[in-house]
Amino acid sequence: EKQGFKHFMLKEIYEQPSVVRTCLESYVNSEWTAASSTNPINLGLPDDLYTDLEQIHIVACGTSWHASLVGKHLLEQLAQVPSQVHYASEFRYALPPLTPNTLLIGVTQSGETADTLSAIHSEKDRRASLSAAYQPRLLGITNRLQSTLTRLVDSVIDTHAGIEIGVAATKTFIAQLMAFYCLSLDLAYRRQTVSPTRLEELLKQLWQLPTQLEALLETQEKRIEELAHEFVETQDFIFLGRGINFPIALEGALKLKEISYIHAEGYPAGEMKHGPIALLDEKVPVVAIAMPGSVYEKVLSNAQEAKARDARLIGVMPPSDPHAAEVFNDLLPVPEVDELLSPLLTVIPLQFLAYHIAARRGLDVDQPRNLAKSVTVE
Ligand code: M6R
């Protein structure tokens, strides 16, 4: 079943290019150009889900919560819809103010996470007796169509990741990201918040991703494995990112915690100097995601600050950059893409890093202690 891979997690990491390809083939018109007069995205969702949309709330846990943070960034930056992400376990105890024409999105790979389901129930219950504009609009994002989530919501985006066995989510995460790219571009087209030429450029780059991911997996695993072996005894890790890559820093830290039991924190790079920088010394490696775009220079200068505290600095960034060698001790190279699409690539080296540290420590990567694949208690 593992098809020659040592663990399901590694097999699932390698399935990511095909998951991305399947999503594109299912939802995106590959012939679309800026001159086309139709929507390039077809998620098969009912029109009333989009009508007069004013607000989006997203509820999720763990890795799905990280995907949702990327989703919020896309929904706001591409489609200009005010969006908030909630920890599902917190949502029902402090419900956001009631607003009309509001979409609630539940994101869960298992479709069975009790916290996420109960958040959706709370929203459904409190809106049940209200007028039409306040009726709940409920959308699920999942790879498990036969799940409790699917029965609870009005519509679902199937992320096409299939079943994931490793407890640490990898391919389902990238698939959730793809669902958010498609939804945001769909909304952006309908609301005319992105120009046709920009849309064409983003779609062109999205279609290149499966091949880029394949190349990244093939060329980087060995290098990252060797680097990972240097951290087998490390006790603390910091992951930094900004903007759309801040959630990827969180995800890199969560992967490492879950399967290697090493303490790790993800932080917005600009916040380091407001406290956490006090933690740094030569024993705490810092992984900084530094992708060209709006926050690039800032991340580099935040990384310099960490280096000045003797931290070993590992950069996730394009290899061609002349700053790279000066600032970073080690590089986890990823191809340069539009900043908005970069999370689909930057997460890969972090998955490998976590995997190879845990595997080297001889841990049960697919079934980490204290964790279950679906968390069905609140
Ligand atoms: O099935 P869900 O996506 O709702 O699960 C949510 C979290 O329990 C899950 O993402 C957890 O954090 C994973 N083990 C992450 O790798």
Side-chain angles (χ1 to χ4, degrees):
E1 271 182 31
K2 288 186 203 142
Q3 292 164 3
F5 289 98
K6 194 163 171 221
H7 296 99
F8 281 107
M9 179 180 175
L10 193 58
K11 170 173 174 274
E12 287 158 357
I13 288 174
Y14 273 93
E15 282 169 9
Q16 292 177 109
S18 83
V19 168
V20 171
R21 190 174 284 119
T22 308
C23 275
L24 290 170
E25 286 169 359
S26 309
Y27 299 130
V28 184
N29 177 353
S30 60
E31 322 261 272
W32 196 88
T33 68
S36 308
S37 56
T38 52
N39 188 337
I41 312 288
N42 183 1
L43 288 164
L45 300 173
D47 281 338
D48 53 10
L49 195 121
Y50 301 90
T51 326
D52 301 324
L53 193 58
E54 289 176 50
Q55 274 275 351
I56 297 178
H57 291 289
I58 311 172
V59 290
C61 307
T63 287
S64 299
W65 187 77
H66 298 155
S68 304
L69 291 176
V70 175
K72 168 205 157 82
H73 193 101
L74 297 170
L75 290 163
E76 292 195 332
Q77 302 309 313
L78 290 170
Q80 305 290 314
V81 189
S83 305
Q84 289 181 44
V85 185
H86 307 265
Y87 285 114
S89 56
E90 297 286 331
F91 185 79
R92 66 190 295 187
Y93 304 103
L95 292 168
L98 272 171
T99 48
N101 303 316
T102 299
L103 176 65
L104 181 75
I105 309 179
V107 185
T108 159
Q109 67 76 29
S110 61
E112 303 296 344
T113 297
D115 286 321
T116 306
L117 297 175
S118 85
I120 299 170
H121 271 297
S122 327
E123 185 69 341
K124 214 172 171 171
D125 291 349
R126 73 161 170 161
R127 287 177 182 264
S129 56
L130 303 178
S131 62
Y134 286 85
Q135 279 309 300
R137 300 184 191 184
L138 305 176
L139 173 66
I141 294 183
T142 188
N143 42 298
R144 303 298 292 271
L145 289 191
Q146 311 296 323
S147 63
T148 312
L149 173 82
T150 305
R151 293 193 292 277
L152 187 60
V153 295
D154 311 314
S155 314
V156 168
I157 301 178
D158 178 359
T159 69
H160 292 295
I163 290 181
E164 187 174 64
I165 295 175
V167 163
T170 53
K171 67 170 179 171
T172 56
F173 175 71
I174 213 160
Q176 290 166 348
L177 294 186
M178 286 306 294
F180 277 116
Y181 282 99
C182 292
L183 181 64
S184 307
L185 292 171
D186 181 8
L187 275 161
Y189 178 84
R190 290 166 188 261
R191 297 162 69 94
Q192 301 184 348
T193 48
V194 164
S195 73
T197 44
R198 171 93 175 111
L199 193 51
E200 183 180 315
E201 177 57 26
L202 286 170
L203 291 173
K204 194 177 107 208
Q205 292 201 24
L206 270 175
W207 281 105
Q208 289 166 354
L209 262 156
T211 320
Q212 285 178 316
L213 284 165
E214 272 155 8
L216 187 61
L217 294 169
E218 292 305 332
T219 59
Q220 294 310 310
E221 187 188 353
K222 222 41 265 114
R223 284 184 57 160
I224 300 177
E225 179 175 3
E226 282 163 18
L227 181 67
H229 292 171
E230 298 181 35
F231 298 112
V232 174
E233 304 294 334
T234 300
Q235 292 187 356
D236 306 276
F237 253 92
I238 303 279
F239 291 78
L240 301 179
R242 284 179 88 132
I244 198 161
N245 277 300
F246 164 53
I248 302 303
L250 294 176
E251 176 61 7
L254 179 63
K255 287 290 88 96
L256 190 63
K257 281 184 262 206
E258 277 191 298
I259 60 171
S260 75
Y261 317 146
I262 292 174
H263 167 245
E265 286 194 52
Y267 238 84
E271 275 292 302
M272 279 302 283
K273 58 184 171 300
H274 299 288
I277 200 164
L279 291 169
L280 296 187
D281 61 21
E282 72 290 347
K283 292 204 269 324
V284 184
V286 174
V287 181
I289 305 167
M291 294 300 280
S294 58
V295 292
Y296 182 56
E297 298 296 333
K298 293 284 182 207
V299 175
L300 288 183
S301 77
N302 299 145
Q304 296 271 22
E305 290 159 14
K307 200 176 181 186
R309 273 75 189 179
D310 299 328
R312 179 161 172 186
L313 257 195
I314 303 155
V316 176
M317 66 190 306
S320 54
D321 189 285
H323 291 287
E326 298 159 29
V327 181
F328 293 97
N329 301 103
D330 307 279
L331 275 195
L332 302 177
V334 291
E336 185 168 349
V337 279
D338 192 286
E339 186 180 21
L340 280 185
L341 305 183
S342 62
L344 294 159
L345 290 163
T346 53
V347 71
I348 304 292
L350 306 188
Q351 294 170 342
F352 272 149
L353 187 67
Y355 171 78
H356 280 295
I357 293 177
R360 184 67 167 203
R361 284 165 74 111
L363 299 171
D364 187 348
V365 172
D366 286 332
Q367 297 266 303
R369 67 184 182 201
N370 309 339
L371 295 174
K373 187 63 187 162
S374 61
V375 182
T376 51
V377 290
E378 279 181 50

